[in-house]
Amino acid sequence: LDLLPKDDETLVLDRARLDQVKAEREKIATEYFRANAEDWDRIRSLHVDEAVVEKALLEAVGDLTGGRILDVGTGTGRILELLGRNAEEGVGVDMSREMLSVARARLQRADLSNCLVRQADMYQLPYPGSMFDVVTLHQVLHFAEKPEAALAEAARVLAPGGKLVIVDFAPHEQEELREEHAHRRLGFDDASINTWFRANGLESDNVVSLPGKPLTVRIWMAHPLSGQAQKNTDKAAE
């Protein structure tokens, strides 16, 4: 796109229209989350048993004692409630004020004083690099206009030796999810996720597949490459 002429009238109009389309999509998603905040946990488990997903997520993350967790797109705060009890600190970020209100009430009921939520943009996290031991994106990327950018920002704040965990759908053809539930992506394949991992200095770990009806949930995990491993990766890319 950068190679296209800037002064072509048709292309100028196309770019303006694209910006409008993206703004409209963002508005639709915001309104969807506002309307469904109170009922979000039920909606999230419509296609795959959430108890199965949460059990697999706990096993994937492992021992969190003394660690710092960041849950990107935290929604109702359920992942913080699930993972935060043994952590030193848990932080959840989301752009929806309605979701954050539900999350704060949930964390208060669970007496998780070590966890907090705040409004923040997943494309511009308000934290320095290498700050968190575990970063999770649970059922977030399929709502993202730029999932690769959200993953890159999550990788930026991941500490050396930390773990990035993505929970999302495998590729599917349920087109109605675009209109009914504001999905932007109909799942992700392993190749795309692994390409984004490598682009951000991460090495893929295990992938867990959890078949449902009709969707399949996958859990992708990655950790930062060591200094030498990153140099070898960069050299190979050259």
Side-chain angles (χ1 to χ4, degrees), residues 169-197:
F169 295 121
H172 62 85
E173 298 180 355
Q174 304 301 307
E175 284 286 345
E176 69 275 10
L177 294 179
R178 295 189 192 274
E179 295 297 326
E180 296 176 10
H181 296 288
H183 288 205
R184 289 292 303 117
R185 299 282 191 273
L186 298 183
F188 300 91
D189 57 37
D190 293 346
S192 296
I193 297 293
N194 288 331
T195 295
W196 296 336
F197 281 162

Side-chain angles (χ1 to χ4, degrees), residues 23-153:
E24 289 168 4
R25 288 172 177 167
E26 185 68 27
K27 182 180 178 181
I28 289 170
T30 299
E31 292 174 350
Y32 173 79
F33 292 130
R34 180 183 297 119
N36 291 285
E38 293 290 343
D39 205 27
W40 185 244
D41 289 336
R42 182 191 64 80
I43 293 172
R44 194 182 61 182
S45 60
L46 284 177
H47 302 283
V48 180
D49 186 344
E50 197 63 22
V52 174
V53 176
E54 290 181 354
K55 180 176 183 294
L57 178 58
L58 282 169
E59 293 173 354
V61 170
D63 185 11
L64 291 170
T65 303
R68 306 182 77 180
I69 305 169
L70 175 64
D71 184 36
V72 180
T74 196
T76 63
R78 172 56 184 162
I79 300 306
L80 279 184
E81 181 185 33
L82 184 69
L83 302 179
R85 198 163 299 279
N86 293 326
E88 177 182 340
E89 180 183 11
V91 179
V93 297
D94 205 291
M95 283 298 289
S96 170
R97 290 185 175 88
E98 290 75 17
M99 289 288 192
L100 292 173
S101 294
V102 175
R104 290 189 180 99
R106 179 193 288 275
L107 296 176
Q108 185 175 9
R109 287 195 305 269
D111 195 27
L112 288 173
S113 58
N114 62 322
C115 295
L116 61 90
V117 295
R118 62 178 294 186
Q119 189 176 35
D121 187 342
M122 65 180 173
Y123 300 118
Q124 294 181 309
L125 296 172
Y127 300 106
S130 306
M131 182 171 176
F132 295 95
D133 302 297
V134 174
V135 180
T136 58
L137 294 110
H138 179 270
Q139 299 291 17
V140 170
L141 288 186
H142 62 254
F143 292 110
E145 187 70 37
K146 298 177 289 185
E148 69 281 9
L151 190 153
E153 186 66 351

Side-chain angles (χ1 to χ4, degrees), residues 56 60 206-210 217-221:
N206 295 334
V207 179
V208 178
S209 186
L210 304 169
V217 167
R218 294 192 45 97
I219 301 177
W220 294 273
M221 292 161 278

